[in-house]
Amino acid sequence: MSKKQRIKTSLFCAGALLLVLACMGLPSAFCVMQQARLLQTSHSRPAEENALSSQGRENALAKLLYDRQFLAGSTPEWDSNGWQVLEQTEEGQMNSIGAALEQLRKAGLLDETQTAAAYALLETEQPDACKNAMRDTAGFVRYEWSTEADSLLLELGPGEEVVRLRWSVGGQLRAAELLEEYKRFLNVTEFTDWQDLSSEDGHLAAAYSPAAQLYVYASDKGGTELGAEHKTPEQIATAMKDKKEGTA
């Protein structure tokens, strides 16, 4: 092979080698460019499922019950297994229950007769009296005091908010009146999107606010019952659907 041919061959091999190296580098260069482009692109996070509205977060009760459901993972059902025995003396239980009863009396949710009967239950020394105190993982406390004649169920939030009451002694107010008074008592009248979920017979008055994700109810059947629970719109829709199908 002549010198001239050897030079041509060397130049050809060098060119081929450079071409191969360039091709090998293309994928890496493309990946670097693509990664840089992705890093420069802003991605919005999807909205949190069942997130509480800004108005709901500003309301103390709505946020308290929301946090109880989604952060503490606690369930408010009476028959749930999420409750543990609260180590509290009988005197301590009486004081806590008595303070809550006084709040309800001052708010007009219990009349004088009902309040006096409840205090009589607290002071009873009957041997068959049942006196229990429980606490859940979110710091809510449930009291259950009863005799053969009367029964009182009371649930208080960490700040002694009365979020549930079931008292076997009835009062003068009807369910609809109780509900409006209870909403004022809970400081949730600022919400204007309340949906009426009351029963047709008038013994259960209930309302739901999607903004607060609050279900508030009052009943005058067989005594007096009040309650406030966190419910998502999906839970309410499912409950209404089941109720409609059950009555169809």
Side-chain angles (χ1 to χ4, degrees):
M1 180 182 295
S2 65
K3 182 177 180 181
K4 187 176 181 180
Q5 288 178 326
R6 287 198 301 270
I7 293 174
K8 287 183 178 180
T9 302
S10 299
L11 290 174
F12 175 80
C13 291
L17 179 61
L18 290 174
L19 179 62
V20 170
L21 291 175
C23 292
M24 292 176 62
L26 281 175
S28 298
F30 175 79
C31 290
V32 171
M33 293 173 62
Q34 180 72 358
Q35 185 179 26
R37 186 180 67 82
L38 291 174
L39 289 174
Q40 293 174 358
T41 304
S42 61
H43 296 274
S44 58
R45 296 180 59 187
E48 181 184 353
E49 186 178 3
N50 298 321
L52 192 61
S53 69
S54 58
Q55 185 184 14
R57 291 194 300 271
E58 292 174 358
N59 181 272
L61 181 70
K63 188 176 186 305
L64 175 68
L65 295 179
Y66 175 85
D67 289 346
R68 179 192 195 187
Q69 180 79 15
F70 288 101
L71 300 185
S74 177
T75 173
E77 299 302 328
W78 285 106
D79 57 353
S80 73
N81 297 320
W83 299 90
Q84 296 181 347
V85 175
L86 174 64
E87 297 296 335
Q88 187 179 27
T89 64
E90 184 174 316
E91 182 180 1
Q93 294 183 41
M94 290 177 61
N95 291 337
S96 296
I97 297 173
L101 292 174
E102 187 61 18
Q103 288 185 55
L104 295 171
R105 184 193 67 80
K106 288 182 177 180
L109 291 165
L110 293 177
D111 58 33
E112 296 295 337
T113 301
Q114 289 177 296
T115 306
Y119 278 121
L121 174 63
L122 296 182
E123 296 170 358
T124 185
E125 296 182 358
Q126 296 183 28
D128 65 335
C130 174
K131 304 174 182 180
N132 294 321
M134 311 287 284
R135 183 193 297 274
D136 72 2
T137 55
F140 285 70
V141 177
R142 185 183 79 186
Y143 296 103
E144 180 179 354
W145 282 46
S146 63
T147 62
E148 289 187 2
D150 297 314
S151 62
L152 173 68
L153 294 174
L154 182 67
E155 189 175 321
L156 305 177
E160 299 188 347
E161 303 87 351
V162 181
V163 296
R164 191 162 299 174
L165 168 76
R166 187 183 298 165
W167 178 218
S168 59
V169 178
Q172 299 177 354
L173 293 181
R174 294 299 305 273
E177 297 173 298
L178 281 169
L179 178 62
E180 294 308 312
E181 292 294 339
Y182 189 45
K183 284 161 65 176
R184 281 190 283 272
F185 175 77
L186 296 173
N187 294 317
V188 294
T189 54
E190 65 195 71
F191 298 100
T192 58
D193 61 341
W194 291 103
Q195 302 171 1
D196 185 13
L197 303 178
S198 303
S199 63
E200 294 182 359
D201 62 9
H203 288 298
L204 171 67
Y208 178 71
S209 166
Q213 295 191 19
L214 277 179
Y215 173 71
V216 183
Y217 63 90
S219 173
D220 60 13
K221 190 173 184 178
T224 295
E225 186 171 357
L226 306 169
E229 302 176 8
H230 173 272
K231 296 287 186 183
T232 65
E234 290 78 9
Q235 288 175 315
I236 292 295
T238 300
M240 296 305 297
K241 180 181 178 182
D242 293 343
K243 180 180 178 181
K244 185 177 181 180
E245 292 177 350
T247 57

